[in-house]
Amino acid sequence: MTSNHTDCHYCLQSLCGRKYALREESAYCVTCYDSLFANPCEECKQPIECDSKDLAYKGHHWHEKCFKCAKCSCSLVEKPFAAKDEVLLCTECYSDEYSSKCFHCQRTIMPGSRKMEFKGSSWHESCFVCQYCRQPLGTKPLITKDNENYCVPCFEKQFAHHCYSCKKVITSGGVTYHDQPWHKECFVCAGCKTQLCGQRFISKDDYPYCVDCFSKLYAKKCAACKKPITALGGAKFISFEERQWHGECFNCSKCSVSLVGQGFLTRQDHVLCHECGSA
């Protein structure tokens, strides 16, 4: 442009008929302006002269011709781009190098698009849907089965078991008893209602009982020690006529020798070995 100013603010040479640049209302000849104020180009390191376009990003400057992808060298002028460690990349190169792959379709999740993350994997928002009804899951509660995601209503409809006791859906865990599913908290002793999950129990008429309740309600009493005979863990017991004994209690009433697997005699309420019974 032609100057109406008289002299260059820096070198004081006349600007008459010469191009100049203004800065803070002061006029400079092109040479002085470039030497004083031109930004160095991030790519070629040369000053960006006042008659060149200065492209800036995060405090860095480029000539228009130097503003390009660091990998494929295509121009980034008026195009979307991404930065990684202060290096500029076109969206295609950035995606190839750094973008996540969608767990569902295996295609790149492009920079700037919404990404859903779940259990260490990433999805396009449009791919993160219920496997059954195909509705977007977004941030809704979901359940995963065989690497597929389901909204809670669809999962319950397709897969969930219903508790044999309360009839409500079992969404996780649970106990199987007599081929029937139970919530852990519903699997309780039929007598005292104590939770039985992880505890020893005894079955009677298709109902589970804790050892104490079963012993009180159903177990026969040992004729010797009078304690209940539960037969837990495969313990042996002896039955004769209307009486029962723990295996370790079935001893001669007189000499206390074990009668398990041996012949014995009875005398009133006593059992005796042959030697004691013949004495």
Side-chain angles (χ1 to χ4, degrees):
M1 62 182 67
T2 304
S3 174
N4 291 322
H5 293 74
T6 305
D7 300 318
C8 170
H9 184 73
Y10 186 73
C11 71
L12 302 181
Q13 292 187 18
S14 174
L15 297 175
C16 183
R18 300 171 62 190
K19 291 182 179 180
Y20 71 95
L22 287 175
R23 183 180 178 89
E24 298 177 355
E25 298 185 359
S26 296
Y28 296 83
C29 66
V30 171
T31 302
C32 289
Y33 184 90
D34 289 342
S35 65
L36 292 172
F37 305 116
N39 294 306
C41 175
E42 192 71 20
E43 175 66 19
C44 70
K45 310 304 180 185
Q46 298 300 312
I48 304 173
E49 299 171 338
C50 63
D51 57 352
S52 300
K53 186 178 289 188
D54 185 337
L55 302 180
Y57 175 73
K58 288 190 175 181
H60 299 288
H61 299 264
W62 289 263
H63 290 104
E64 186 175 15
K65 65 180 180 181
C66 295
F67 193 62
K68 56 190 178 182
C69 173
K71 185 176 181 183
C72 70
S73 298
C74 71
S75 175
L76 299 178
V77 177
E78 297 183 358
K79 292 181 180 179
F81 63 90
K84 179 69 174 178
D85 300 327
E86 298 186 356
V87 174
L88 303 184
L89 298 167
C90 64
T91 53
E92 289 79 6
C93 290
Y94 183 88
S95 298
D96 290 341
E97 291 289 323
Y98 304 110
S99 291
S100 303
K101 293 287 193 291
C102 176
F103 183 84
H104 177 73
C105 70
Q106 295 303 309
R107 295 178 180 174
T108 298
I109 301 174
M110 299 298 287
S113 61
R114 191 172 183 188
K115 179 173 67 174
M116 310 302 295
E117 294 186 346
F118 178 65
K119 289 187 176 181
S121 297
S122 302
W123 282 262
H124 292 110
E125 185 178 21
S126 58
C127 292
F128 194 58
V129 298
C130 171
Q131 179 67 17
Y132 185 72
C133 69
R134 311 307 299 176
Q135 293 300 307
L137 290 170
T139 57
K140 297 176 184 176
L142 61 92
I143 300 174
T144 300
K145 178 179 173 62
D146 299 330
N147 288 329
E148 299 289 356
N149 300 319
Y150 298 84
C151 64
V152 174
C154 286
F155 182 86
E156 293 179 352
K157 187 185 301 181
Q158 292 294 109
F159 305 109
H161 297 291
H162 289 77
C163 177
Y164 182 78
S165 175
C166 70
K167 312 305 180 186
K168 295 180 180 179
V169 169
I170 301 173
T171 57
S172 63
V175 176
T176 299
Y177 171 68
H178 281 188
D179 295 326
Q180 298 291 346
W182 303 61
H183 288 114
K184 289 182 180 180
E185 58 271 21
C186 292
F187 189 61
V188 298
C189 172
C192 66
K193 307 304 179 185
T194 299
Q195 288 191 19
L196 295 176
C197 186
Q199 306 297 321
R200 293 194 303 175
F201 65 90
I202 303 172
S203 177
K204 173 71 174 175
D205 299 330
D206 291 335
Y207 289 98
Y209 292 85
C210 68
V211 175
D212 288 341
C213 285
F214 182 87
S215 298
K216 292 175 183 176
L217 295 172
Y218 301 109
K220 297 183 181 298
K221 302 294 191 296
C222 175
C225 71
K226 309 305 180 185
K227 294 180 180 180
I229 299 173
T230 62
L232 279 176
K236 294 181 180 180
F237 68 96
I238 289 82
S239 179
F240 177 72
E241 295 181 346
E242 297 299 321
R243 292 183 291 171
Q244 289 80 30
W245 291 262
H246 292 109
E248 63 271 20
C249 294
F250 191 54
N251 303 322
C252 174
S253 300
K254 188 174 182 180
C255 70
S256 299
V257 68
S258 175
L259 298 177
V260 177
Q262 308 296 322
F264 62 91
L265 302 173
T266 61
R267 185 176 297 165
Q268 297 179 348
D269 291 335
H270 299 291
V271 288
L272 301 167
C273 65
H274 281 295
E275 185 176 346
C276 291
S278 301

